[in-house]
Amino acid sequence: MIDVPSNKRELLDFALQLAQDCCVSQGMRASYYRTLNQIAETGRYDNTKALINLMDWQLKRLAANLFSPVELKFSIDYGRPRPKVEYDRAKVVASELTRTWDRNNTDMTFGRGVYESLKYGAAILKQWPQTEGEDDHPVYYDKLVMPWHFGVYREDENRLDRQEAMCETILLTGPELWRRIYHLPDAKKLYDRAMVNARTGTASTEPSSYFHQVLSSSILNTSGVETTQTPGGIVQLNNAPNFAIMGPVIAPAIVEMKEIWVKSEIDGKPDYVTIQLIEPDILIAPLHKKANLLGIKEAQPYRLIQANESTNWFWGRSELVDLIEPQALLATWCDDAKRLMGLQIDKILGFTGDGGITEEIYGQMRVAGWMNLPAGGDIKDVTPKFPPELLPLVKWVIEIINTIGGFPKIMQGEGDAGVRAGVHAETLVKTASPTARDRSLLVERQCATCADLTLQMMEAKDDSKYWLKADSPINDVEETSFLLSQLSPDWRVTIDSHSSSPIFADENAQLIFTARKLGTVTDEYVLDNMPFPNKEMARVQLREKEARQAQMMQQLLQSDPDVANKLLQKQVGLRGK
C-alpha cells in the first residue's frame, strides 16, 4: 500500500515519479513489440515479405483453439452451499451477464486480446461503466490496452491484482480532453495549456515518444539483427511502407495522459486511488478528494490476458519466439526455390569458340530466338539443376513449424499411418494437445476474471429488477423479483462447461448426452448447456410439453394405474420388480 499525498504540489511530484517508475521499460518493450509485429506480418527480420509466411496463421489458429466466443456461457457459483432460490437467482444473473457480453461485443474484444497476447506476450482488457440517456441507465464500455501503453510497479510480479500501482498511457484529441475537464475550475485555461504540448500525425501505437525519424550520416541498424549494408540518411522507425504494414495515424492534435491506479486508502479504508495527469504536468484528478473513478470499492478496471505466462516476468512470452528461426529458414528456402525455378526457364548459357559475344549481342539473340556461331562454336547449358531435395525440405520445415506451434498432423484434422478408428484418433488428439488444453484453461480463468469485473459493475450500477419466472406475469414477477445487489456476497463467475474452449467442445457434448441417457440430468439441463438456437422459445416449448405429459399421466393414473406406474419407473430410471 502506497501513501498518496494530499498536497497538490506533492501529489504532482508523486504522480510524475510513479508514472516514470511504472513505465521504465516502455521504450525498450516498444522496440521489441515492433520487431515481433514486423515478423508476424512479413515472416522476416529485414522488412521484406516472405513468399510463405505462417506466423500470422499460427497465431490466429492457436487463438481460435484457446478461446472462441461462439458458445460462451457464464455461470455463477457460491463459496458455500446456499438455498435453492439463491442458485435460481444465480442462473438468471449468469444469463444476463452472458447477454451483456454479447450485446457489448466484450466477448469479441477478449478474443482479440487472446490473439494479441500470443503475438506480444500480454494484453490488458479495460472495462468501465458510464451512465447515459435521460434515465441515466448504465452502459458498460471496454477496450484493449496494448502492452506498450501500460506499465506496472513491479515487473517481477505476475499478478495484476498484487501490483501496488499501474499506469496506462492514453492519447486524447482536443474534444476528448475537453470532455474530461470541462467541469473543472479554470477548464479553458487547463485546455489551452495542455494543447500547447499537443502533437499531430502521431500513430496511436506510439509509446513514450519512442517512434520517430532519425537523420544520420552513418549507417544505423535498428532491427537488432545483421542485415545488408545501406547508405546513411533517414532511418525509419515507424510503420514501414516497403512491406505494406499499415498503422493508424491520428490527424487531429493529441495530448498524452497518464492514468495511474494506486493501492492506497480512502477515508481510512483500503481502496484504489485514481490519478490522471496530462503531460507535461497538468493534474486533473484527484483535485479535492481522493477517489476511485471506477466507482467500485477496492477494484481497478484492468484485467490481464496472457496465454503464455513467464515466471517473475509480468509481460509474458510471445508465441513467435520459437517460430522465428524456422520461419526465416522457410523464407530463405522458398526464395532459393523461386530463384532456381526461374533459372530453369531463363537458363545460364556458356559459349565456346566465339569471343565476340557481348551482353548486347546476347540480349539480341535471346529476343530473336536464334543465333549464329562460327565453325567450331558451341553452346553449353551451365544452369544449376533444381535439387530434388529442396521441396521435401520446404515441406519438412512447414511440418516443424506446425509441430512447434502445437499442431501436429493429428491436430490439423489430417490422418496418420496406422489410425483406422475414430476412438484411436480421439486418443491421439488428447495426447497431442496437453499444452493447448492447459493454456485453454488458463485463458478460460482469465475470461472469468474479466466477467467477474463486469458483474461487479452491474451490481454497483444496475438497479433494475430481475425475476425467476413469469408464467403469471404480475404475480410471478412481484413474488420472485430481486436486485443484483441482493446476491450473496460470496458469488464468483466461472465459464460454464468450458464453453469458451473449442478444444473441449466435443467432450462436453458427449458427457452431457451420456448423462441425459443415464437419467443423471434433465432435458432442461441439456437445453441450457448445448448450443441450441432460440433457447428461450425452446424452454417455453419444453415447459408446455412437460405440462401436457403431467396432465396425460394424471389421466392414465386414474384409468390404468399399473401402466402409469411402469411409465413413471421408466422416466426416473428405475426397474420394475
Side-chain angles (χ1 to χ4, degrees):
M1 186 177 296
I2 302 176
D3 183 27
V4 178
S6 300
N7 180 271
K8 186 175 181 180
R9 182 68 256 179
E10 294 178 356
L11 178 59
L12 179 59
D13 294 338
F14 170 82
L16 290 171
Q17 182 60 48
L18 197 57
Q20 182 178 349
D21 293 342
C22 290
C23 301
V24 64
S25 67
Q26 197 174 40
M28 177 182 65
R29 288 187 289 108
S31 177
Y32 177 62
Y33 296 143
R34 177 182 174 274
T35 301
L36 290 176
N37 183 60
Q38 173 183 303
I39 293 171
E41 292 291 328
T42 67
R44 294 184 188 271
Y45 287 107
D46 60 356
N47 297 0
T48 57
K49 277 281 191 182
L51 290 175
I52 300 178
N53 176 22
L54 298 180
M55 296 297 94
D56 188 63
W57 167 241
Q58 287 285 345
L59 295 174
K60 289 178 178 177
R61 179 168 57 176
L62 181 56
N65 275 270
L66 295 182
F67 177 85
S68 173
V70 176
E71 296 300 333
L72 179 63
K73 182 174 180 289
F74 297 112
S75 65
I76 295 176
D77 196 5
Y78 295 105
R80 297 180 180 179
R82 296 288 176 181
K84 183 178 181 301
V85 65
E86 292 285 349
Y87 290 103
D88 291 339
R89 288 179 176 180
K91 182 179 177 181
V92 172
V93 175
S95 298
E96 180 62 23
L97 177 61
T98 303
R99 284 192 291 268
T100 299
W101 266 50
D102 180 68
R103 285 194 299 264
N104 296 337
N105 287 328
T106 308
D107 51 353
M108 304 298 292
T109 304
F110 184 88
R112 194 167 71 250
V114 174
Y115 169 83
E116 300 294 350
S117 75
L118 289 172
K119 182 191 290 189
Y120 299 115
I124 295 91
L125 181 65
K126 181 180 183 181
Q127 302 178 77
W128 69 97
Q130 288 184 197
T131 54
E132 297 181 358
E134 295 181 356
D135 56 348
D136 288 335
H137 63 277
V139 179
Y140 308 105
Y141 286 87
D142 58 76
K143 73 168 185 176
L144 276 183
V145 179
M146 301 311 293
W148 53 84
H149 278 165
F150 199 75
V152 293
Y153 195 65
R154 290 194 58 165
E155 294 187 345
D156 61 346
E157 173 57 61
N158 289 82
R159 292 182 54 171
L160 190 57
D161 60 332
R162 293 180 180 174
Q163 295 288 344
E164 295 296 325
M166 58 204 75
C167 177
E168 179 192 358
T169 301
I170 303 174
L171 302 179
L172 301 174
T173 62
E176 291 171 335
L177 172 62
W178 180 251
R179 197 157 49 239
R180 288 176 178 264
I181 67 172
Y182 75 94
H183 60 285
L184 300 178
D186 299 325
K188 186 64 172 65
K189 183 178 179 180
L190 289 175
Y191 177 83
D192 293 339
R193 185 181 168 201
M195 295 306 293
V196 169
N197 299 281
R199 294 168 289 169
T200 58
T202 304
S204 64
T205 54
E206 177 180 356
S208 301
S209 305
Y210 174 75
F211 289 142
H212 52 83
Q213 288 186 342
V214 177
L215 183 61
S216 173
S217 60
S218 60
I219 300 169
L220 294 182
N221 178 9
T222 63
S223 66
V225 296
E226 293 298 327
T227 58
T228 56
Q229 294 286 308
T230 56
I234 292 180
V235 181
Q236 180 73 13
L237 297 180
N238 208 329
N239 300 320
N242 58 323
F243 51 82
I245 291 183
M246 300 301 295
V249 177
I250 304 173
I254 61 170
V255 295
E256 186 174 295
M257 183 181 80
K258 301 290 187 183
E259 184 170 287
I260 308 169
W261 293 75
V262 189
K263 272 187 179 180
S264 185
E265 290 184 348
I266 297 178
D267 297 330
K269 297 180 180 179
D271 205 343
Y272 280 91
V273 175
T274 310
I275 303 174
Q276 292 181 334
L277 177 69
I278 297 176
E279 286 196 347
D281 56 359
I282 305 173
L283 189 68
I284 62 174
L287 286 181
H288 306 293
K289 183 180 179 182
K290 300 175 187 178
N292 181 333
L293 296 186
L294 185 61
I296 302 173
K297 184 175 176 56
E298 297 186 59
Q300 43 84 12
Y302 305 104
R303 295 295 183 269
L304 179 65
I305 306 174
Q306 190 171 77
N308 294 323
E309 292 184 328
S310 182
T311 304
N312 295 334
W313 175 237
F314 177 83
W315 303 109
R317 189 171 188 266
S318 170
E319 188 70 19
L320 299 178
V321 171
D322 295 325
L323 302 175
I324 292 173
E325 292 303 326
Q327 170 60 43
L329 183 60
L330 175 63
T332 301
W333 282 356
C334 287
D335 288 343
D336 293 340
K338 178 182 179 181
R339 185 173 63 255
L340 288 172
M341 186 58 69
L343 288 176
Q344 306 309 305
I345 299 173
D346 292 337
K347 302 293 185 182
I348 299 177
L349 303 177
F351 295 87
T352 60
D354 188 357
I357 298 294
T358 63
E359 185 177 349
E360 182 179 357
I361 295 174
Y362 177 71
Q364 292 174 355
M365 291 178 178
R366 290 186 65 89
V367 172
W370 58 273
M371 58 190 67
N372 286 324
L373 291 177
D378 191 14
I379 302 176
K380 295 191 180 211
D381 185 357
V382 294
T383 305
K385 301 298 182 183
F386 192 93
E389 302 87 356
L390 183 54
L391 292 183
L393 282 174
V394 169
K395 184 178 179 181
W396 172 76
V397 174
I398 293 175
E399 291 178 357
I400 290 297
I401 291 175
N402 287 329
T403 301
I404 295 175
F407 290 93
K409 284 186 177 181
I410 195 69
M411 287 288 291
Q412 301 177 60
E414 299 181 15
D416 209 347
V419 180
R420 295 184 176 87
V423 176
H424 188 192
E426 290 177 3
T427 303
L428 291 177
V429 169
K430 288 181 180 179
T431 56
S433 60
T435 56
R437 288 167 176 264
D438 291 346
R439 288 191 288 177
S440 180
L441 289 174
L442 176 62
V443 170
E444 178 181 304
R445 292 182 182 179
Q446 293 169 355
C447 179
T449 303
C450 295
D452 194 282
L453 175 59
T454 307
L455 186 52
Q456 288 184 56
M457 295 190 300
M458 294 170 62
E459 189 178 37
K461 303 297 181 180
D462 187 1
D463 56 0
S464 302
K465 285 188 176 182
Y466 296 85
W467 49 87
L468 301 183
K469 60 179 182 177
D471 296 333
S472 174
I474 298 178
N475 295 333
D476 288 345
V477 169
E478 291 180 354
E479 293 175 1
T480 65
S481 64
F482 66 95
L483 300 174
L484 294 181
S485 58
Q486 293 177 316
L487 288 177
S488 297
D490 59 338
W491 60 262
R492 69 184 186 98
V493 177
T494 60
I495 304 296
D496 196 0
S497 306
H498 302 299
S499 57
S500 68
S501 310
I503 202 167
F504 293 105
D506 292 339
E507 295 179 15
N508 291 332
Q510 294 175 9
L511 181 64
I512 289 172
F513 283 115
T514 301
R516 179 65 191 95
K517 185 177 180 180
L518 296 173
T520 307
V521 298
T522 63
D523 292 338
E524 185 176 1
Y525 182 89
V526 176
L527 189 60
D528 287 339
N529 291 278
M530 292 302 296
F532 293 104
N534 299 322
K535 285 190 177 185
E536 295 301 328
M537 180 58 68
R539 289 190 184 96
V540 173
Q541 293 176 353
L542 178 62
R543 286 194 291 268
E544 292 176 351
K545 176 186 174 182
E546 291 174 346
R548 289 195 301 269
Q549 289 177 341
Q551 184 179 3
M552 293 172 61
M553 185 60 66
Q554 289 294 331
Q555 295 174 357
L556 189 59
L557 281 170
Q558 296 175 0
S559 61
D560 195 340
D562 293 338
V563 174
N565 287 328
K566 290 180 180 179
L567 288 175
L568 285 173
Q569 290 176 351
K570 184 178 180 181
Q571 287 180 359
V572 297
L574 300 176
R575 296 180 179 179
K577 295 182 180 180

